[in-house]
């Protein structure tokens, strides 16, 4: 039996990070976690590009454009959608998650979903460097692992 799993944990490649400006106090921390992890993994500055978009709904469109230019081996999507008093939250979460998945499948490219979908701002803060770590950092680790796996599937 052949088993494929991430072998090269020190793999570097071209990566784009799409970040939502909405809830910027959270998303800046997610981005800081991601860029710090890239540095820890010895990614060079020229191997990463950061693209800021207005809100979470715009993330998939920017990810799609980045995927289409064929320069990046993975795209990391970072954002924070925090539940409010209306049903808007669910529409945004659905659009962003489905949009990112669509971009990944249509372009045969890892599109990492690092968009927080929380009930409260406190929960979001816990996930951007607080009690639950930094999901931006985790998104980089996910990107490295899936790129390693996909490179082995031939």
């Amino acid at each position: 039996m052949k088993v494929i799993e991430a072998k090269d944990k020190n793999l570097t490649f071209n990566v784009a990070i799409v970040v939502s400006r909405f809830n910027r106090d959270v998303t800046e921390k997610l981005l800081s976690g991601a860029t710090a992890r890239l540095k820890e993994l010895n990614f060079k500055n020229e191997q990463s590009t950061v693209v800021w978009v207005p809100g979470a709904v715009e993330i998939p469109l920017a990810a799609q454009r980045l995927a289409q230019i064929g320069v990046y081996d993975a795209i990391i999507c970072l954002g924070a959608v925090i539940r409010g008093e209306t049903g808007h939250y669910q529409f945004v979460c659905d659009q962003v998650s489905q949009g990112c998945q669509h971009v990944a499948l249509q372009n045969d490219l890892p599109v990492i979903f690092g968009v927080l979908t929380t009930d409260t701002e406190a929960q979001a803060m816990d996930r951007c460097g607080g009690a639950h770590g930094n999901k931006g950092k985790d998104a980089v680790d996910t990107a490295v692992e899936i790129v390693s796996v996909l490179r082995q599937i031939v």
Side-chain angles (χ1 to χ4, degrees), residues 13-14 16 63-76 100-112 146-147 150:
F13 47 84
N14 291 327
Q64 178 175 281
R65 181 64 57 90
L66 290 162
Q68 290 172 343
I69 63 174
V71 173
Y72 302 101
D73 298 293
I75 299 169
I76 296 172
C100 289
Q101 183 67 17
H102 179 78
V103 172
L105 295 174
Q106 289 296 103
N107 293 281
D108 193 30
L109 184 73
V111 177
I112 311 305
I146 192 63
V147 168
L150 292 175

Side-chain angles (χ1 to χ4, degrees), residues 1-147:
M1 169 182 2
K2 182 175 183 176
V3 176
I4 298 174
E5 63 181 312
K7 289 182 180 178
D8 190 355
K9 304 282 184 175
N10 295 316
L11 180 68
T12 65
F13 47 84
N14 291 327
V15 61
I17 304 173
V18 181
V19 190
S20 170
R21 211 173 44 243
F22 199 79
N23 290 317
R24 193 171 186 141
D25 55 330
V26 174
T27 62
E28 283 181 340
K29 291 177 179 171
L30 291 171
L31 178 60
S32 291
T35 56
R37 185 64 177 149
L38 289 170
K39 188 174 185 174
E40 288 171 10
L41 295 173
N42 299 313
F43 279 74
K44 296 180 176 88
N45 284 339
E46 59 270 13
Q47 289 180 289
S48 62
T49 300
V50 175
V51 177
W52 285 92
V53 296
V57 172
E58 290 76 31
I59 290 172
L61 180 59
Q64 178 175 281
R65 181 64 57 90
L66 290 162
Q68 290 172 343
I69 63 174
V71 173
Y72 302 101
D73 298 293
I75 299 169
I76 296 172
C77 301
L78 302 176
V81 184
I82 302 170
R83 188 180 300 277
E85 297 177 2
T86 68
H88 183 70
Y89 167 87
Q90 194 61 51
F91 292 110
V92 172
C93 292
D94 289 347
Q95 288 179 357
V96 178
S97 63
Q98 290 174 18
C100 289
Q101 183 67 17
H102 179 78
V103 172
L105 295 174
Q106 289 296 103
N107 293 281
D108 193 30
L109 184 73
V111 177
I112 311 305
F113 189 74
V115 178
L116 302 180
T117 56
T118 63
D119 289 327
T120 66
E121 187 173 342
Q123 289 173 340
M125 294 305 248
D126 280 346
R127 287 157 179 79
C128 68
H132 294 286
N134 189 303
K135 300 305 176 185
K137 173 194 171 295
D138 295 347
V140 170
D141 290 338
T142 299
V144 170
E145 183 171 346
I146 192 63
V147 168

